[in-house]
Amino acid sequence: MESAGTTPAVAVHAPDLAELAAQRGPFLTVYLATEGEVENAAQRTELRWKQVRDDLAEAGADDHLLAAVDALVPDAHHHGRCLCVVANTSGALHVEHNDELPKRDLGRWAPLPSLVPLLEWRQLGVPHVVVLIDRQGADLFAFRREGPDLRAESGGGADPLHKAEAGGWSQKRYQQRAENTWEKNADAVAADLAKLVDRINARVVAVAGDVRAVQLLREALRRDVADMLVEVEGGRAVDGSVDAVSDDVVRAVATVAARDTVALLEKFREEIGQGDRASDGVARTVEALSRAQVEVLLVADDPDDERTVWFGPEPTMLGLAADEVAGMGANPVQQGRLADVLVRAALGTGAAVRVVPGHGGPREGVGAILRWS
């Protein structure tokens, strides 16, 4: 049976992480909570790292790699709430700070890197624009993972900017001039906003500010941009910052990311129901990955999940048994953590990955939408 519709394009393609996972192991992977808003933040982070470090040293991690992480820890709380380091015997391959706390502190010395949390960070990083608007104009902020944050000012048409409060022969004309000025400012902001949305491929536009200015902006916007609009409480800040609305913006972006996951799971269930382009569970997904058949890998992020499968040097060399992988011509054959082997295989064959909830998703926390049935 043919499938209805295309797969939602919301999963993560990560060729850079595919290159990382293709390098020779063993790998050191660290995810460390580095909260900066607590008392004695640096000392707390150091203590957390000491415990993780001791466990890694006991597992056999190279001293020079642990020392490299030592140098990153003291100031990490200034850069985000989690420090991620992936390294192999040649040194650090990837260092990243993120504002998402890890599910727990994690240190692994293993044949493959653990990339699932990194992929989840990327899917949560929905590109978005924040608009703080009043009747004079607006401050625009654009956020994206692939490049620097952007800021611009827009509008600022000529006076009069305020309607007359008192009576008089010129009141009506004055009020109309004020309304015209507001509309011109809204048109200018709408044009600049549309350019910024297109520039970063934004999927959310959070707007806060004067009620009438927001209304005029909505009316002036291109339809596709207006459909992205989410109104939040707040307005233009004296210091020109976005800090006052940041919590509401984070929630708006997280809502869109959650909807993306729901849409992809609905497509997965549709394909399962048709017995068509999907694999459900570990065995079928491993088989599909070995055939480079996977379009989108669906995997739950459980740091305590230590299930393993076997793999060889190439991304498609994986199986439930060592002799199965050896029969593919693999040498050497190694045993790796299930989620890490699956992610390596998916990224290495050009598939996308979506991290999904452990409950309500694929059977055994693993599934895939396939390129063909």
Side-chain angles (χ1 to χ4, degrees), residues 125-132 138-153 192-206 240-242 245 249 253:
V126 177
H128 59 283
V129 177
V130 179
V131 183
L132 304 181
D139 295 320
L140 308 178
F141 306 84
F143 302 92
R144 54 187 173 166
R145 198 198 71 82
E146 297 83 3
D149 299 339
L150 305 173
R151 182 184 183 279
E153 291 186 47
D192 290 339
L193 173 57
K195 292 176 183 176
L196 200 52
V197 165
D198 292 342
R199 181 174 174 180
I200 70 164
N201 294 316
R203 298 188 53 235
V204 184
V205 176
S241 76
V242 73
V245 299
V249 172
V253 170

Side-chain angles (χ1 to χ4, degrees), residues 15-176:
D16 60 320
L17 297 184
E19 291 180 10
L20 186 159
Q23 297 199 42
R24 180 174 296 181
F27 291 85
L28 174 74
T29 306
V30 173
Y31 293 92
L32 185 72
T34 57
E35 295 178 88
E37 62 272 19
V38 297
E39 189 175 352
N40 299 319
Q43 293 90 330
R44 292 190 183 196
T45 302
E46 292 274 8
L47 288 172
R48 300 176 82 103
W49 168 234
K50 183 180 184 305
Q51 184 173 0
V52 174
R53 193 189 198 286
D54 289 346
D55 292 341
L56 286 167
E58 186 175 346
D62 286 1
D63 286 341
H64 78 281
L65 296 181
L66 297 175
V69 180
D70 289 342
L72 297 170
V73 168
D75 293 327
H77 65 285
H78 293 303
H79 305 290
R81 304 178 76 196
C82 182
L83 168 65
C84 168
V85 181
V86 180
N88 65 2
T89 52
S90 64
L93 304 173
H94 186 94
V95 177
E96 184 171 335
H97 301 271
N98 197 277
D99 286 333
E100 292 289 328
L101 279 171
K103 290 182 171 64
R104 66 171 175 81
D105 290 335
L106 176 66
R108 283 201 180 98
W109 179 247
L112 293 176
S114 294
L115 304 178
V116 174
L118 273 176
L119 290 163
E120 187 167 25
W121 288 353
R122 294 191 182 189
Q123 73 188 39
L124 291 173
V126 177
H128 59 283
V129 177
V130 179
V131 183
L132 304 181
I133 190 168
D134 59 23
R135 300 180 192 191
Q136 292 178 305
D139 295 320
L140 308 178
F141 306 84
F143 302 92
R144 54 187 173 166
R145 198 198 71 82
E146 297 83 3
D149 299 339
L150 305 173
R151 182 184 183 279
E153 291 186 47
S154 180
D159 285 336
L161 289 166
H162 302 283
K163 287 188 176 181
E165 297 294 337
W169 70 270
S170 63
Q171 179 184 20
K172 184 175 181 180
R173 182 172 62 182
Y174 190 92
Q175 288 177 330
Q176 186 59 51

